[in-house]
Coordinates of all heavy atoms in Angstrom, one line a residue:
M214 N 98.4 52.5 -34.5 CA 98.0 51.5 -35.4 C 98.8 50.2 -35.3 O 100.0 50.2 -35.3 CB 98.2 52.1 -36.9 CG 97.9 51.1 -37.9 SD 98.2 51.9 -39.5 CE 97.3 50.8 -40.6
A215 N 98.2 49.1 -35.0 CA 98.8 47.8 -34.8 C 99.3 47.3 -36.1 O 98.7 47.3 -37.1 CB 97.9 46.8 -34.1
T216 N 100.5 46.7 -36.1 CA 101.1 46.0 -37.3 C 100.8 44.6 -37.2 O 100.8 44.0 -36.2 CB 102.6 46.3 -37.5 OG1 103.2 45.8 -36.3 CG2 102.8 47.8 -37.6
N217 N 100.5 44.0 -38.4 CA 100.3 42.5 -38.5 C 101.7 41.9 -38.7 O 102.4 42.1 -39.7 CB 99.4 42.3 -39.7 CG 99.0 40.8 -39.8 OD1 99.7 40.0 -39.2 ND2 98.0 40.6 -40.6
P218 N 102.0 40.9 -37.8 CA 103.3 40.2 -37.9 C 103.4 39.4 -39.1 O 104.5 39.0 -39.5 CB 103.5 39.5 -36.6 CG 102.0 39.3 -36.2 CD 101.3 40.5 -36.7
Y219 N 102.3 39.1 -39.7 CA 102.3 38.2 -40.9 C 102.4 38.9 -42.3 O 102.4 38.4 -43.3 CB 101.1 37.2 -40.9 CG 101.1 36.3 -39.7 CD1 100.2 36.5 -38.6 CD2 102.1 35.3 -39.6 CE1 100.3 35.8 -37.5 CE2 102.1 34.5 -38.5 CZ 101.2 34.7 -37.4 OH 101.2 33.9 -36.4
Q220 N 102.4 40.3 -42.2 CA 102.5 41.1 -43.4 C 104.0 41.4 -43.7 O 104.8 41.6 -42.7 CB 101.7 42.5 -43.2 CG 100.3 42.3 -43.1 CD 99.8 41.8 -44.5 OE1 100.2 42.0 -45.5 NE2 98.7 41.0 -44.3
P221 N 104.4 41.3 -44.9 CA 105.8 41.7 -45.2 C 106.1 43.0 -44.6 O 105.3 43.9 -44.7 CB 105.9 41.7 -46.7 CG 104.7 40.9 -47.1 CD 103.7 41.0 -46.1
K222 N 107.4 43.2 -44.1 CA 107.8 44.5 -43.6 C 107.9 45.5 -44.7 O 107.8 46.8 -44.4 CB 109.2 44.3 -42.8 CG 109.0 43.4 -41.6 CD 110.3 43.1 -41.0 CE 110.1 42.2 -39.9 NZ 110.1 40.7 -40.3
H223 N 108.3 45.2 -45.9 CA 108.5 46.1 -47.0 C 108.3 45.4 -48.3 O 108.5 44.1 -48.4 CB 109.8 46.9 -46.9 CG 111.0 45.8 -47.0 ND1 111.4 45.1 -46.0 CD2 111.8 45.6 -48.1 CE1 112.5 44.3 -46.4 NE2 112.7 44.6 -47.6
H224 N 108.1 46.1 -49.3 CA 108.0 45.4 -50.7 C 109.3 45.6 -51.4 O 109.8 46.6 -51.6 CB 106.9 46.1 -51.5 CG 106.7 45.6 -52.7 ND1 107.6 45.4 -53.7 CD2 105.6 45.0 -53.3 CE1 107.2 44.8 -54.8 NE2 105.9 44.6 -54.6
C225 N 109.9 44.4 -51.7 CA 111.2 44.4 -52.5 C 110.8 44.6 -54.0 O 110.1 43.8 -54.6 CB 111.8 43.1 -52.3 SG 113.0 43.1 -50.9
P226 N 111.4 45.6 -54.6 CA 111.2 45.8 -56.0 C 111.9 44.7 -56.9 O 111.5 44.3 -57.9 CB 111.8 47.2 -56.3 CG 112.7 47.4 -55.3 CD 112.2 46.7 -54.1
R227 N 113.0 44.1 -56.3 CA 113.8 43.2 -57.1 C 113.8 41.9 -56.3 O 113.8 41.8 -55.0 CB 115.3 43.7 -57.2 CG 116.0 42.7 -58.1 CD 117.5 43.1 -58.1 NE 117.7 44.6 -57.9 CZ 118.9 45.1 -57.6 NH1 120.0 44.3 -57.4 NH2 119.1 46.3 -57.3
P228 N 113.5 40.7 -57.0 CA 113.5 39.5 -56.3 C 114.8 39.2 -55.6 O 115.9 39.5 -56.0 CB 113.3 38.4 -57.4 CG 112.7 39.2 -58.5 CD 113.3 40.6 -58.4
P229 N 114.7 38.6 -54.4 CA 116.0 38.3 -53.6 C 116.7 37.1 -54.3 O 116.1 36.3 -55.1 CB 115.4 37.8 -52.3 CG 114.0 37.3 -52.6 CD 113.5 38.2 -53.7
A230 N 118.0 37.1 -54.1 CA 118.8 36.1 -54.7 C 118.8 34.8 -53.9 O 119.3 34.8 -52.8 CB 120.3 36.6 -54.8
L231 N 118.0 33.9 -54.5 CA 118.0 32.5 -53.8 C 119.1 31.6 -54.4 O 119.2 31.6 -55.7 CB 116.6 31.9 -53.8 CG 115.6 32.7 -53.2 CD1 114.2 31.9 -53.4 CD2 115.7 32.8 -51.7
T232 N 119.6 30.8 -53.6 CA 120.6 29.8 -54.2 C 119.9 28.7 -55.0 O 118.6 28.6 -54.8 CB 121.4 29.1 -53.1 OG1 120.6 28.3 -52.3 CG2 122.2 30.1 -52.2
R233 N 120.5 27.9 -55.8 CA 119.9 26.8 -56.5 C 119.2 25.9 -55.5 O 118.0 25.5 -55.8 CB 121.0 26.1 -57.3 CG 120.4 25.0 -58.2 CD 121.5 24.3 -59.1 NE 122.5 23.7 -58.3 CZ 122.4 22.4 -57.8 NH1 121.2 21.7 -58.0 NH2 123.3 21.9 -57.1
R234 N 119.9 25.5 -54.4 CA 119.3 24.6 -53.5 C 118.0 25.2 -52.8 O 117.0 24.6 -52.7 CB 120.3 24.2 -52.4 CG 119.8 23.2 -51.4 CD 119.4 21.9 -52.1 NE 120.5 21.0 -52.1 CZ 120.4 19.8 -52.6 NH1 119.3 19.3 -53.0 NH2 121.5 19.0 -52.5
E235 N 118.1 26.5 -52.5 CA 117.0 27.2 -51.9 C 115.8 27.2 -52.9 O 114.6 27.0 -52.4 CB 117.3 28.6 -51.5 CG 118.2 28.7 -50.3 CD 118.8 30.1 -50.0 OE1 118.8 30.9 -51.0 OE2 119.3 30.3 -48.9
M236 N 116.0 27.3 -54.2 CA 114.9 27.3 -55.2 C 114.4 25.9 -55.1 O 113.2 25.8 -55.3 CB 115.5 27.7 -56.5 CG 115.6 29.3 -56.7 SD 114.1 30.2 -56.4 CE 113.0 29.4 -57.6
Q237 N 115.2 24.9 -55.1 CA 114.7 23.5 -55.0 C 113.7 23.4 -53.9 O 112.7 22.7 -54.0 CB 115.8 22.4 -55.0 CG 116.7 22.4 -56.3 CD 117.9 21.6 -56.1 OE1 118.5 21.5 -55.0 NE2 118.4 21.0 -57.2
V238 N 114.2 23.8 -52.7 CA 113.4 23.6 -51.5 C 112.1 24.5 -51.6 O 111.0 24.0 -51.3 CB 114.2 24.1 -50.3 CG1 113.3 24.2 -49.0 CG2 115.4 23.1 -50.0
L239 N 112.1 25.7 -52.2 CA 111.0 26.5 -52.3 C 110.0 25.8 -53.2 O 108.7 25.8 -53.0 CB 111.4 27.9 -52.9 CG 110.3 28.9 -53.1 CD1 109.7 29.2 -51.8 CD2 110.9 30.2 -53.8
V240 N 110.4 25.2 -54.4 CA 109.5 24.6 -55.3 C 108.8 23.4 -54.6 O 107.6 23.3 -54.7 CB 110.3 24.0 -56.5 CG1 109.4 23.0 -57.3 CG2 110.7 25.2 -57.4
L241 N 109.5 22.7 -53.7 CA 108.9 21.6 -53.0 C 108.0 22.1 -51.9 O 107.0 21.5 -51.5 CB 109.9 20.6 -52.5 CG 110.8 19.9 -53.6 CD1 112.0 19.1 -53.0 CD2 109.8 18.9 -54.3
L242 N 108.3 23.2 -51.3 CA 107.5 23.9 -50.3 C 106.1 24.2 -51.0 O 105.1 24.0 -50.5 CB 108.0 25.2 -49.8 CG 108.9 25.2 -48.6 CD1 109.4 26.5 -48.3 CD2 108.2 24.6 -47.4
A243 N 106.2 24.7 -52.3 CA 105.0 25.1 -53.0 C 104.1 23.9 -53.3 O 102.9 24.0 -53.5 CB 105.4 25.9 -54.3
E244 N 104.8 22.8 -53.5 CA 104.1 21.6 -53.8 C 103.5 20.8 -52.5 O 102.9 19.8 -52.6 CB 104.9 20.6 -54.6 CG 105.3 21.1 -56.0 CD 106.4 20.3 -56.7 OE1 106.8 19.2 -56.2 OE2 106.7 20.7 -57.9
D245 N 103.8 21.5 -51.4 CA 103.3 21.0 -50.1 C 103.8 19.6 -49.8 O 103.1 18.7 -49.4 CB 101.9 21.1 -50.0 CG 101.4 21.0 -48.6 OD1 102.1 21.4 -47.6 OD2 100.2 20.6 -48.3
C246 N 105.1 19.3 -50.1 CA 105.7 18.0 -49.9 C 106.0 17.7 -48.4 O 106.4 18.7 -47.7 CB 107.0 17.8 -50.8 SG 106.6 17.8 -52.5
D247 N 106.1 16.5 -48.0 CA 106.4 16.2 -46.7 C 107.9 16.5 -46.4 O 108.7 16.3 -47.2 CB 106.1 14.7 -46.5 CG 106.6 14.1 -45.2 OD1 106.0 14.5 -44.1 OD2 107.6 13.4 -45.2
V248 N 108.1 17.0 -45.2 CA 109.5 17.4 -44.9 C 110.5 16.3 -45.0 O 111.5 16.4 -45.6 CB 109.6 18.0 -43.5 CG1 111.0 18.3 -43.0 CG2 108.7 19.2 -43.3
R249 N 110.2 15.1 -44.4 CA 111.2 14.0 -44.4 C 111.4 13.5 -45.8 O 112.4 13.2 -46.2 CB 110.6 12.9 -43.5 CG 110.9 13.2 -42.1 CD 110.5 12.0 -41.1 NE 110.7 12.4 -39.8 CZ 109.9 13.0 -39.0 NH1 108.6 13.4 -39.4 NH2 110.1 13.3 -37.7
T250 N 110.4 13.4 -46.6 CA 110.4 12.9 -48.0 C 111.2 13.9 -48.8 O 112.1 13.5 -49.6 CB 109.0 12.8 -48.6 OG1 108.2 11.8 -47.8 CG2 109.1 12.2 -50.0
T251 N 110.9 15.2 -48.6 CA 111.7 16.2 -49.4 C 113.2 16.1 -49.0 O 114.1 16.2 -49.9 CB 111.2 17.6 -49.1 OG1 109.8 17.6 -49.4 CG2 111.9 18.6 -49.8
A252 N 113.5 16.1 -47.8 CA 114.9 16.0 -47.3 C 115.6 14.8 -47.9 O 116.7 14.9 -48.5 CB 115.0 16.0 -45.8
R253 N 114.9 13.7 -47.9 CA 115.5 12.4 -48.4 C 115.7 12.5 -49.9 O 116.7 12.2 -50.5 CB 114.5 11.2 -48.1 CG 115.1 9.9 -48.4 CD 114.3 8.7 -48.0 NE 112.8 8.9 -48.1 CZ 112.1 9.0 -47.0 NH1 112.6 8.9 -45.8 NH2 110.7 9.1 -47.1
N254 N 114.7 13.2 -50.7 CA 114.9 13.3 -52.1 C 116.0 14.3 -52.5 O 116.6 14.1 -53.5 CB 113.6 13.9 -52.7 CG 112.5 12.8 -52.7 OD1 112.7 11.6 -52.6 ND2 111.2 13.3 -52.8
L255 N 116.3 15.2 -51.6 CA 117.3 16.2 -51.8 C 118.7 15.7 -51.3 O 119.6 16.4 -51.4 CB 117.0 17.5 -51.2 CG 115.8 18.3 -51.9 CD1 115.5 19.5 -51.1 CD2 116.1 18.6 -53.4
N256 N 118.7 14.5 -50.6 CA 119.9 13.9 -50.0 C 120.5 14.9 -49.0 O 121.6 15.1 -48.8 CB 120.9 13.5 -51.0 CG 120.5 12.4 -51.9 OD1 119.9 11.4 -51.4 ND2 120.8 12.5 -53.2
I257 N 119.6 15.4 -48.2 CA 120.0 16.3 -47.0 C 119.2 15.9 -45.8 O 118.3 15.1 -45.9 CB 119.7 17.8 -47.3 CG1 118.3 18.1 -47.6 CG2 120.6 18.3 -48.5 CD1 117.9 19.6 -47.8
T258 N 119.7 16.3 -44.6 CA 119.0 15.9 -43.4 C 117.8 16.8 -43.2 O 117.8 18.0 -43.9 CB 120.0 16.1 -42.1 OG1 120.2 17.4 -42.0 CG2 121.2 15.3 -42.3
V259 N 116.9 16.5 -42.2 CA 115.7 17.3 -42.1 C 116.2 18.6 -41.4 O 115.6 19.7 -41.8 CB 114.8 16.5 -41.0 CG1 113.7 17.5 -40.6 CG2 114.2 15.3 -41.7
N260 N 117.2 18.6 -40.5 CA 117.7 19.9 -40.0 C 118.3 20.7 -41.1 O 118.1 22.0 -41.0 CB 118.8 19.6 -38.9 CG 118.3 19.0 -37.6 OD1 117.0 19.4 -37.3 ND2 119.0 18.3 -36.9
T261 N 119.0 20.2 -42.1 CA 119.5 21.0 -43.1 C 118.4 21.6 -43.9 O 118.4 22.8 -44.4 CB 120.5 20.2 -44.1 OG1 121.5 19.7 -43.2 CG2 121.0 21.0 -45.2
Y262 N 117.3 20.8 -44.2 CA 116.1 21.3 -44.9 C 115.5 22.4 -44.2 O 115.2 23.5 -44.8 CB 115.1 20.1 -45.1 CG 113.8 20.6 -45.6 CD1 113.6 20.7 -47.0 CD2 112.8 20.9 -44.7 CE1 112.4 21.1 -47.5 CE2 111.5 21.3 -45.2 CZ 111.4 21.4 -46.5 OH 110.1 21.7 -47.0
R263 N 115.4 22.3 -42.8 CA 114.8 23.5 -42.1 C 115.7 24.7 -42.1 O 115.1 25.8 -42.1 CB 114.6 22.9 -40.6 CG 113.5 22.0 -40.5 CD 113.3 21.5 -39.1 NE 112.2 20.5 -39.0 CZ 112.2 19.5 -38.2 NH1 113.1 19.2 -37.5 NH2 111.1 18.7 -38.3
G264 N 117.0 24.5 -42.2 CA 117.8 25.6 -42.4 C 117.7 26.3 -43.6 O 117.6 27.6 -43.7
Y265 N 117.4 25.6 -44.7 CA 117.1 26.2 -46.0 C 115.8 27.0 -45.9 O 115.6 28.1 -46.5 CB 117.0 25.2 -47.1 CG 118.4 24.7 -47.6 CD1 118.8 23.4 -47.6 CD2 119.3 25.7 -48.1 CE1 119.9 23.0 -48.0 CE2 120.5 25.2 -48.6 CZ 120.8 23.9 -48.5 OH 122.1 23.5 -49.0
V266 N 114.8 26.4 -45.2 CA 113.5 27.0 -45.1 C 113.7 28.3 -44.4 O 113.0 29.4 -44.8 CB 112.4 26.1 -44.4 CG1 111.2 26.8 -44.1 CG2 112.1 24.9 -45.3
K267 N 114.5 28.3 -43.3 CA 114.6 29.6 -42.5 C 115.3 30.6 -43.4 O 114.9 31.8 -43.3 CB 115.5 29.3 -41.2 CG 114.8 28.6 -40.2 CD 115.7 28.4 -39.0 CE 115.0 27.6 -37.9 NZ 115.7 27.4 -36.8
S268 N 116.3 30.2 -44.2 CA 116.9 31.2 -45.1 C 115.9 31.8 -46.2 O 116.0 33.0 -46.4 CB 118.1 30.5 -45.8 OG 118.7 31.4 -46.7
I269 N 115.0 30.9 -46.7 CA 114.1 31.3 -47.6 C 113.1 32.4 -47.0 O 112.8 33.4 -47.5 CB 113.3 30.1 -48.2 CG1 114.3 29.3 -49.1 CG2 112.1 30.6 -49.0 CD1 113.7 27.9 -49.4
L270 N 112.6 32.0 -45.8 CA 111.7 32.9 -45.0 C 112.4 34.3 -44.9 O 111.7 35.3 -45.0 CB 111.3 32.3 -43.7 CG 110.5 31.0 -43.8 CD1 110.2 30.5 -42.3 CD2 109.1 31.3 -44.4
S271 N 113.6 34.3 -44.5 CA 114.4 35.5 -44.2 C 114.5 36.3 -45.6 O 114.2 37.5 -45.6 CB 115.7 35.2 -43.7 OG 116.5 36.4 -43.5
K272 N 115.0 35.7 -46.6 CA 115.1 36.4 -47.9 C 113.9 36.9 -48.5 O 113.9 37.9 -49.2 CB 115.9 35.4 -48.9 CG 117.3 35.2 -48.5 CD 118.1 34.4 -49.5 CE 119.5 34.1 -49.2 NZ 120.1 33.3 -50.2
L273 N 112.8 36.2 -48.2 CA 111.5 36.6 -48.8 C 110.7 37.4 -47.8 O 109.6 37.8 -48.1 CB 110.6 35.4 -49.2 CG 111.2 34.6 -50.4 CD1 110.4 33.4 -50.8 CD2 111.4 35.5 -51.7
D274 N 111.3 37.8 -46.6 CA 110.7 38.6 -45.6 C 109.4 38.1 -45.2 O 108.4 38.8 -45.2 CB 110.7 40.0 -46.1 CG 110.5 41.0 -45.0 OD1 110.8 40.7 -43.8 OD2 109.9 42.2 -45.2
S275 N 109.3 36.7 -44.9 CA 108.1 36.1 -44.7 C 108.2 35.5 -43.2 O 109.3 35.1 -42.7 CB 107.9 34.9 -45.6 OG 107.8 35.5 -46.9
C276 N 106.9 35.3 -42.6 CA 107.0 34.7 -41.3 C 106.6 33.3 -41.4 O 106.8 32.5 -40.4 CB 106.0 35.5 -40.4 SG 106.4 37.2 -40.1
T277 N 105.9 32.8 -42.4 CA 105.4 31.5 -42.6 C 105.8 30.9 -43.9 O 106.1 31.7 -44.9 CB 103.9 31.4 -42.5 OG1 103.3 32.1 -43.6 CG2 103.4 32.0 -41.1
Q278 N 105.8 29.6 -44.1 CA 106.1 29.0 -45.4 C 105.0 29.3 -46.4 O 105.4 29.6 -47.5 CB 106.2 27.5 -45.1 CG 107.4 27.1 -44.3 CD 107.4 25.6 -44.0 OE1 106.8 24.8 -44.8 NE2 108.2 25.2 -43.0
L279 N 103.8 29.4 -45.9 CA 102.7 29.7 -46.9 C 102.9 31.1 -47.4 O 102.8 31.5 -48.6 CB 101.4 29.6 -46.2 CG 100.2 29.9 -47.1 CD1 100.1 28.9 -48.2 CD2 98.9 29.8 -46.2
Q280 N 103.3 32.1 -46.5 CA 103.6 33.4 -47.0 C 104.8 33.5 -47.9 O 104.8 34.3 -48.9 CB 103.8 34.3 -45.7 CG 103.9 35.8 -46.1 CD 104.3 36.7 -44.9 OE1 104.8 36.2 -44.0 NE2 104.0 37.9 -45.0
A281 N 105.8 32.7 -47.7 CA 107.0 32.7 -48.5 C 106.6 32.2 -49.9 O 107.1 32.8 -50.9 CB 108.0 31.7 -47.9
V282 N 105.8 31.2 -50.0 CA 105.3 30.6 -51.2 C 104.5 31.7 -52.0 O 104.8 32.0 -53.2 CB 104.5 29.3 -51.2 CG1 103.9 28.9 -52.4 CG2 105.5 28.3 -50.7
A283 N 103.6 32.4 -51.3 CA 102.8 33.4 -51.9 C 103.7 34.6 -52.4 O 103.6 35.1 -53.5 CB 101.8 34.0 -50.9
S284 N 104.7 35.0 -51.6 CA 105.7 36.0 -52.0 C 106.4 35.6 -53.2 O 106.7 36.4 -54.1 CB 106.6 36.3 -50.9 OG 105.9 37.0 -49.8
A285 N 106.9 34.3 -53.3 CA 107.6 33.8 -54.4 C 106.9 33.9 -55.6 O 107.4 34.3 -56.7 CB 108.2 32.5 -54.1
R286 N 105.6 33.6 -55.5 CA 104.7 33.6 -56.7 C 104.6 35.0 -57.2 O 104.5 35.3 -58.3 CB 103.4 32.9 -56.4 CG 103.5 31.4 -56.3 CD 102.1 30.7 -56.4 NE 102.4 29.3 -56.6 CZ 102.0 28.4 -55.7 NH1 101.3 28.8 -54.6 NH2 102.1 27.2 -55.9
K287 N 104.3 35.9 -56.3 CA 104.1 37.4 -56.5 C 105.4 37.9 -57.3 O 105.3 38.8 -58.1 CB 103.7 38.1 -55.3 CG 103.4 39.6 -55.5 CD 103.0 40.2 -54.3 CE 102.5 41.6 -54.6 NZ 102.1 42.3 -53.3
L288 N 106.5 37.5 -56.8 CA 107.8 37.9 -57.4 C 108.1 37.1 -58.6 O 109.2 37.3 -59.2 CB 108.9 37.8 -56.4 CG 108.8 38.7 -55.2 CD1 109.8 38.4 -54.1 CD2 109.0 40.2 -55.5
Q289 N 107.3 36.2 -59.0 CA 107.5 35.4 -60.2 C 108.7 34.5 -60.1 O 109.3 34.2 -61.1 CB 107.5 36.1 -61.5 CG 106.2 36.9 -61.7 CD 106.3 37.8 -63.0 OE1 107.2 38.1 -63.5 NE2 105.0 38.2 -63.3
L290 N 109.0 34.0 -58.9 CA 110.1 33.1 -58.7 C 109.5 31.7 -58.9 O 110.3 30.7 -59.2 CB 110.6 33.2 -57.2 CG 111.3 34.5 -56.9 CD1 111.7 34.5 -55.4 CD2 112.6 34.6 -57.7
L291 N 108.1 31.5 -58.8 CA 107.6 30.2 -59.0 C 106.6 30.4 -60.1 O 106.0 31.4 -60.2 CB 106.8 29.7 -57.8 CG 107.7 29.4 -56.6 CD1 106.8 29.2 -55.4 CD2 108.5 28.2 -56.9
A292 N 106.3 29.4 -60.9 CA 105.2 29.4 -62.0 C 103.8 29.4 -61.4 O 103.6 29.1 -60.3 CB 105.5 28.3 -62.9

């Protein structure tokens, strides 16, 4: 049976602990904001922003930003 790389590897019963900044980035990801604009609004570099996104993807066991947002909504991290 082939596994889908875009499916979460497991279901977390408890939401992962995201930092305050990761939550700010996640909210802006959900709003589909432009990377450069988001980084500028958060007073961080684009590379730093990308680092936060990678951390969020890892913590939410996601392969894509869209999947991370969907997982966050399912875990009620986002309204």
Side-chain angles (χ1 to χ4, degrees):
M214 176 179 195
T216 59
N217 184 343
Y219 297 106
Q220 292 295 327
K222 295 174 187 79
H223 63 281
H224 182 307
C225 270
R227 188 180 336 158
L231 297 178
T232 67
R233 184 177 64 84
R234 182 62 92 176
E235 288 168 342
M236 282 302 301
Q237 291 172 329
V238 170
L239 182 60
V240 167
L241 294 171
L242 272 178
E244 293 174 1
D245 199 27
C246 294
D247 174 69
V248 174
R249 286 184 179 88
T250 302
T251 300
R253 188 172 37 249
N254 289 342
L255 294 174
N256 293 318
I257 58 176
T258 67
V259 171
N260 286 336
T261 300
Y262 172 83
R263 289 182 179 140
Y265 282 121
V266 171
K267 285 181 183 181
S268 178
I269 292 166
L270 293 176
S271 175
K272 288 181 179 183
L273 294 178
D274 199 21
S275 301
C276 296
T277 67
Q278 293 177 20
L279 182 62
Q280 185 184 24
V282 170
S284 294
R286 285 195 174 118
K287 186 174 183 179
L288 295 168
Q289 299 180 345
L290 295 174
L291 296 171

